Amino acid sequence: MEKVFASIITIGDELLIGQVVDTNSAWIAQELNKNGISLKHRVAVGDVRDDIWQALDEESRAASLVIITGGLGPTADDITKPLLCDYFGGRMVVDQPTLDHVQKIFARLNRPFTERNMKQAEVPDVCTVLKNERGTAPGMMFRKDGVVYVSLPGVPHEMKWIMENQFIPLIPQLFDTGFIEHRTLLTYGIGESFLADRVQELEEALPPHIKLAYLPNYGIVRLRLTGFGFDKNGLKKEIEERFQLFKEKVKEFLVADEDITMELLVAKLLQEKNETLCTAESCTGGNIARMITANAGSSAYYKGTVVSYDNEVKQNVLGVKEETLASVGAVSEETVIQMAESVRKIMNTDYAVAVSGIMGPGGGSAEKPVGLVWMAVAGKGRVVTREFRLSYNRARNIEMTSYHALNLLRIFINENR
Amino acid sequence: MEKVFASIITIGDELLIGQVVDTNSAWIAQELNKNGISLKHRVAVGDVRDDIWQALDEESRAASLVIITGGLGPTADDITKPLLCDYFGGRMVVDQPTLDHVQKIFARLNRPFTERNMKQAEVPDVCTVLKNERGTAPGMMFRKDGVVYVSLPGVPHEMKWIMENQFIPLIPQLFDTGFIEHRTLLTYGIGESFLADRVQELEEALPPHIKLAYLPNYGIVRLRLTGFGFDKNGLKKEIEERFQLFKEKVKEFLVADEDITMELLVAKLLQEKNETLCTAESCTGGNIARMITANAGSSAYYKGTVVSYDNEVKQNVLGVKEETLASVGAVSEETVIQMAESVRKIMNTDYAVAVSGIMGPGGGSAEKPVGLVWMAVAGKGRVVTREFRLSYNRARNIEMTSYHALNLLRIFINENR
């Protein structure tokens, strides 16, 4: 048995001119990984016949599964379907179940069914149709010279539906896959190179089928062990043993022994003791709330936020004192303390986080430059504050501030235990 | 003169196992486009020497500029720098300006400077160093057989800094680029295939150097004309003429004649008349506020939000009546009307938007299923409401709700003009 490799080809000029960020590939990669298939390559090409044809040739040499996304719409810039028909030597035929499905969608939307839409139900006669319950363009599977090709629409929720419901269940019949195991440690407070020095011996002793990766982001460095094998339980055990050695080596800096986001780490801490949280955001404009509420079930521990983008709102809703705003200003230790304590009272929670800062590019001064941020965490009769001076662009300043605020809360909660 | 093509190679296992979404490529593509360079290919490969080598070979046949990101860190899984040294036949030497810079960073962080860090200042002697003011890994430029290669760190803000400050200014000396022009129309209320029928004649009459693309998303369909030429003014004029014809053809459905986000469209409308906005969000958890405040200068028209994730907050902060919550519930027309009117009073704005819904996967009932959303816009003595029934996953339900709420506001403001 050998490792099964896949390639992803994404089709569309919008990817090449940068109008769209490709989130499909990361999702597909994760799903394939869970099913024992490793990704070899990801390629993006434009809506150009020769380039797509060449990519199909090249990727079929590198992989035994080629996943193609995009280019399946009803308009003239969508050239993938006829191309695939030629590539696999078929002819276009109407697929009756797809036609019924497309007509049903049009009837539901109360739209006339035109000849152009008829084309959406045509597929090459050499493919296996993968039904698309979420849209009009069906998925298609082809086989040639031992390689499996899957063509999927580029619209993320349609692509995901077909993968989850139509293609992934077929993987065990199509391939003899092995198993891929990941284990991840999160560390905080130590740089990537110092971490590397610390685990050097362990890293050098790893067998060839286990790899170590360093993934630094926002001051957190993730250490990830990835192993591959055909004996699932043996692999699990082997990775687990190595993992414990790494964990022991970095214990002073350990944040978590699983791959988890900062917002879920905080959520776990709160849920352990049935505690609740609220926030008062100025410069992050609701981003902290969004991060927390992106997780299902967050209403169990998160009550809400007041985004006081305007000073009037800081006074009227959050009760920040007029003289504080007049004397030390909105971006100050005193203001974030008042914001945190006040929102905690208003929303009646165990903890509150408040942030205020200048995210740029405008709004800075000599005394309070762009990038200056104050944050406070209040709760359990205590309040802590921290000042940051960030030097990125607006988007990253917002991201970093949100992340640091959640990390400050994480440390604060741990100190109370 | 010929069109200049570029390829991007992104290096890193994290891209292949889907741990990271590649946002770098879209950004690089946009910047190259602005500078007259078209992207031919984007390829992602793992931290595997042979795969990287092969990608360099293949992409140098397809493009005259190859941009490589990632794999430049100080740890053992970062193999790009020695590989590039071999590929271009150089040997590693210490670059003094880089060494000074790295040492300065370590001194500032108060961290000891180890031998491993010394390596970060080494570069192949056959490269031109592209200074990295944002981090320790320098960019590198190589030239071979008429192809230019640029190696950049994968950390987005470092990569961007080097591109903007070091590489892009060199483009006019390195290449005879042409000009690329995009013009985009936004339409709402007409499906992609009907739009295609409507503009079919205009599309068929386009010359080969002008392409039309359809980009549907959230009910908005973008129509984008892209032209390429060496006579900048001639091209601009030609695209403009075609653009006006398309615009006339779709005028009943026209939202904007420029490529602009929904949140900036709303911002423009508000700024035209010096009007202000606030929001009250339940199910979107701050995402609408985040979208609006992501734009610099939003404090001029946006005052804030109350995210009432908990019903207590709906009552205590937003003054939603207890009997309303008890009788028709939090996800109801009556509740969003009260939320919108109340937050508009509290924050003293011209308009207010309120949303309440069930984003899933849990929390639904037979009467109020997952995906049910109510939204209201209040202002100028009027209030409008709308009900949606979405059927996506949580993340997309939040995204769609936020987008539809801003679109409802856009229509509302336009009706008041």
Side-chain angles (χ1 to χ4, degrees):
Chain A
M1 281 187 291
E2 278 193 13
K3 208 163 172 173
V4 177
F5 282 105
S7 278
I8 301 173
I9 302 174
T10 49
I11 297 173
D13 286 343
E14 63 276 20
L15 292 162
L16 294 189
I17 68 170
Q19 197 154 13
V20 167
V21 170
D22 170 26
T23 55
N24 283 346
S25 293
W27 186 88
I28 295 172
Q30 280 178 353
E31 293 304 307
L32 293 179
N33 241 257
K34 282 185 214 156
N35 289 280
I37 296 175
S38 304
L39 205 62
K40 181 88 174 179
H41 250 168
R42 281 169 35 185
V43 186
V45 294
D47 299 306
V48 179
R49 194 179 158 92
D50 290 352
D51 292 355
I52 301 173
W53 195 284
Q54 195 188 331
L56 286 167
D57 280 348
E58 280 176 11
E59 297 314 314
S60 63
R61 282 195 290 271
S64 40
L65 170 62
V66 178
I67 296 198
I68 305 140
T69 64
L72 295 181
T75 53
D77 63 326
D78 291 305
I79 59 174
T80 303
K81 205 156 61 176
L83 183 151
L84 290 174
C85 190
D86 293 349
Y87 191 85
F88 294 105
R91 59 186 189 84
M92 296 299 275
V93 292
V94 169
D95 180 58
Q96 194 58 43
T98 304
L99 182 61
D100 296 345
H101 171 68
V102 175
Q103 284 178 326
K104 215 158 57 186
I105 291 179
F106 274 76
R108 203 182 61 212
L109 296 172
N110 225 341
R111 283 188 176 161
F113 190 79
T114 66
E115 202 180 327
R116 194 186 288 273
N117 304 122
M118 187 77 183
K119 279 225 150 79
Q120 291 180 263
E122 285 183 9
V123 296
D125 59 355
V126 290
C127 83
T128 306
V129 172
L130 303 175
K131 194 179 161 191
N132 176 6
E133 279 208 351
R134 290 300 171 93
T136 54
M140 294 170 284
M141 183 167 76
F142 303 87
R143 306 187 71 160
K144 189 182 170 187
D145 301 333
V147 177
V148 175
Y149 301 78
V150 178
S151 163
L152 301 167
V155 180
H157 72 105
E158 297 185 22
M159 178 281 289
K160 286 178 189 173
W161 191 91
I162 301 175
M163 278 290 284
E164 282 173 346
N165 296 284
Q166 303 283 300
F167 179 65
I168 290 171
L170 297 178
I171 288 178
Q173 299 162 38
L174 294 167
F175 304 101
D176 277 325
T177 60
F179 298 94
I180 298 169
E181 283 284 323
H182 300 292
R183 290 298 303 271
T184 305
L185 290 169
L186 271 62
T187 64
Y188 181 77
I190 179 171
E192 187 182 354
S193 56
F194 298 97
L195 204 54
D197 285 340
R198 195 171 255 259
V199 300
Q200 188 165 0
E201 268 179 49
L202 290 176
E203 184 172 4
E204 284 167 2
L206 287 175
H209 64 285
I210 301 181
K211 285 177 87 174
L212 176 71
Y214 299 83
L215 304 161
N217 206 10
Y218 307 110
I220 292 268
V221 180
R222 286 174 152 69
L223 272 184
R224 188 190 61 224
L225 286 176
T226 303
F228 178 80
F230 288 94
D231 165 15
K232 189 172 181 175
N233 291 331
L235 178 68
K236 256 190 186 314
K237 193 165 160 275
E238 194 184 0
I239 291 262
E240 177 60 27
E241 282 166 12
R242 302 275 173 178
F243 184 73
Q244 291 306 331
L245 297 175
F246 277 90
K247 189 173 159 184
E248 178 62 26
K249 254 300 188 244
V250 302
K251 62 182 177 209
E252 308 98 278
F253 305 101
L254 193 69
V255 172
D257 61 358
E258 60 182 323
D259 194 11
I260 186 172
T261 60
M262 185 57 79
E263 52 276 27
L264 277 178
L265 259 174
V266 166
K268 272 179 99 167
L269 285 171
L270 292 168
Q271 285 178 296
E272 269 169 21
K273 304 242 171 182
N274 255 318
E275 291 171 327
T276 54
L277 172 69
C278 68
T279 49
E281 306 183 44
S282 180
C283 60
T284 46
N287 192 50
I288 299 175
R290 177 196 69 89
M291 286 168 75
I292 295 169
T293 58
N295 296 300
S298 46
S299 58
Y301 50 87
Y302 184 67
K303 291 206 177 177
T305 195
V306 173
V307 175
S308 54
Y309 223 60
D310 193 278
N311 276 352
E312 226 179 89
V313 177
K314 287 192 186 70
Q315 281 178 244
N316 299 346
V317 185
L318 289 175
V320 176
K321 290 177 199 145
E322 196 175 349
E323 63 260 33
T324 306
L325 294 172
S327 60
V328 290
V331 183
S332 66
E333 184 170 27
E334 189 51 34
T335 297
V336 289
I337 291 174
Q338 290 181 30
M339 285 168 70
E341 292 189 329
S342 154
V343 80
R344 199 176 81 79
K345 260 181 232 139
I346 293 172
M347 299 209 180
N348 186 27
T349 59
D350 295 296
Y351 301 98
V353 175
V355 293
S356 183
I358 303 150
M359 301 287 94
S365 64
E367 199 198 343
K368 295 195 175 175
V370 168
L372 176 68
V373 176
W374 273 102
M375 54 184 70
V377 179
K380 311 275 166 186
R382 292 204 302 142
V383 55
V384 297
T385 61
R386 242 190 108 178
E387 183 192 2
F388 284 87
R389 284 172 191 262
L390 306 173
S391 56
Y392 310 108
N393 63 16
R394 180 178 182 86
R396 191 161 168 88
N397 282 340
I398 292 174
E399 235 185 333
M400 293 284 281
T401 302
S402 307
Y403 196 84
H404 283 308
L406 288 170
N407 194 36
L408 189 65
L409 172 65
R410 178 186 70 80
I411 295 165
F412 186 93
I413 297 176
N414 276 325
E415 284 166 357
N416 279 302
R417 296 281 152 94
Chain B
M1 281 189 291
E2 277 194 12
K3 207 162 171 173
V4 177
F5 282 106
S7 278
I8 301 173
I9 302 174
T10 50
I11 296 174
D13 286 343
E14 64 276 20
L15 292 163
L16 294 189
I17 68 170
Q19 197 153 15
V20 167
V21 170
D22 170 26
T23 55
N24 282 347
S25 293
W27 186 88
I28 294 172
Q30 279 177 354
E31 293 304 307
L32 292 180
N33 240 257
K34 282 185 213 157
N35 289 280
I37 296 175
S38 304
L39 204 62
K40 181 88 175 178
H41 249 168
R42 281 169 35 185
V43 186
V45 294
D47 298 307
V48 179
R49 194 178 157 92
D50 289 351
D51 292 355
I52 301 173
W53 195 284
Q54 195 189 330
L56 286 167
D57 280 348
E58 279 176 11
E59 298 314 314
S60 62
R61 282 194 290 270
S64 40
L65 170 62
V66 178
I67 297 200
I68 305 140
T69 64
L72 295 182
T75 52
D77 62 326
D78 290 306
I79 60 174
T80 303
K81 203 155 63 175
L83 183 152
L84 291 174
C85 190
D86 294 349
Y87 191 85
F88 295 105
R91 58 187 192 83
M92 295 300 275
V93 293
V94 169
D95 180 59
Q96 195 59 45
T98 303
L99 182 61
D100 295 347
H101 171 67
V102 175
Q103 284 179 326
K104 214 157 58 184
I105 291 179
F106 274 75
R108 204 183 60 210
L109 296 173
N110 226 339
R111 283 188 175 162
F113 190 79
T114 66
E115 202 181 326
R116 193 186 288 272
N117 304 122
M118 187 77 181
K119 280 228 150 78
Q120 290 181 263
E122 285 183 9
V123 297
D125 59 355
V126 289
C127 82
T128 306
V129 172
L130 303 175
K131 194 178 161 192
N132 176 7
E133 278 208 351
R134 289 301 170 93
T136 53
M140 295 170 282
M141 183 168 76
F142 303 87
R143 306 187 71 158
K144 190 182 171 187
D145 301 333
V147 178
V148 176
Y149 301 76
V150 178
S151 162
L152 302 167
V155 181
H157 72 104
E158 297 185 23
M159 178 281 291
K160 287 179 189 173
W161 191 92
I162 301 175
M163 277 291 285
E164 281 173 346
N165 296 283
Q166 302 283 300
F167 179 65
I168 290 171
L170 297 178
I171 289 178
Q173 300 162 38
L174 293 167
F175 303 101
D176 278 325
T177 61
F179 298 94
I180 298 169
E181 283 284 322
H182 300 292
R183 291 297 303 272
T184 304
L185 290 169
L186 271 62
T187 65
Y188 180 77
I190 179 170
E192 187 182 354
S193 56
F194 298 96
L195 204 55
D197 286 340
R198 196 171 256 260
V199 300
Q200 188 166 359
E201 269 179 46
L202 290 177
E203 183 172 4
E204 283 167 2
L206 288 174
H209 65 286
I210 302 182
K211 284 177 88 175
L212 176 71
Y214 299 82
L215 304 161
N217 206 10
Y218 306 109
I220 291 268
V221 180
R222 287 174 153 68
L223 273 184
R224 187 189 62 225
L225 286 176
T226 302
F228 178 81
F230 288 94
D231 165 15
K232 190 172 182 173
N233 291 331
L235 178 68
K236 255 189 187 317
K237 194 165 158 274
E238 194 184 0
I239 291 262
E240 177 60 28
E241 283 166 11
R242 302 274 174 179
F243 185 72
Q244 291 306 330
L245 297 175
F246 277 90
K247 188 172 159 184
E248 178 63 26
K249 256 296 190 246
V250 303
K251 62 184 176 205
E252 309 98 278
F253 305 101
L254 192 70
V255 171
D257 61 357
E258 60 182 324
D259 193 11
I260 187 172
T261 61
M262 185 56 79
E263 52 275 28
L264 277 178
L265 258 174
V266 167
K268 273 180 96 167
L269 285 171
L270 292 168
Q271 285 178 296
E272 269 169 20
K273 304 242 171 182
N274 256 318
E275 292 171 328
T276 54
L277 171 69
C278 68
T279 49
E281 306 183 44
S282 180
C283 60
T284 46
N287 192 50
I288 299 175
R290 177 197 69 88
M291 286 169 76
I292 295 169
T293 59
N295 296 299
S298 46
S299 58
Y301 51 86
Y302 184 68
K303 291 207 178 177
T305 195
V306 173
V307 174
S308 55
Y309 222 60
D310 193 277
N311 276 351
E312 226 180 88
V313 178
K314 287 193 186 71
Q315 280 178 247
N316 299 345
V317 186
L318 289 175
V320 175
K321 289 177 200 144
E322 197 175 348
E323 63 260 34
T324 305
L325 293 172
S327 59
V328 289
V331 182
S332 65
E333 185 170 26
E334 190 49 36
T335 296
V336 290
I337 291 174
Q338 290 181 31
M339 285 168 71
E341 292 189 330
S342 155
V343 79
R344 199 175 80 80
K345 260 181 232 140
I346 294 171
M347 299 209 180
N348 187 26
T349 59
D350 296 296
Y351 300 98
V353 175
V355 292
S356 182
I358 303 150
M359 300 287 94
S365 65
E367 199 198 343
K368 295 196 176 175
V370 167
L372 176 68
V373 177
W374 273 102
M375 53 184 70
V377 179
K380 311 276 167 184
R382 291 204 303 142
V383 54
V384 296
T385 60
R386 240 189 110 178
E387 184 192 0
F388 283 86
R389 284 172 191 262
L390 305 174
S391 56
Y392 310 108
N393 63 16
R394 181 179 182 86
R396 191 160 167 88
N397 282 341
I398 292 174
E399 237 186 330
M400 293 285 281
T401 303
S402 307
Y403 196 85
H404 283 308
L406 289 170
N407 194 37
L408 189 64
L409 171 65
R410 178 186 71 80
I411 295 165
F412 187 92
I413 297 176
N414 276 325
E415 285 166 355
N416 279 302
R417 297 280 152 93

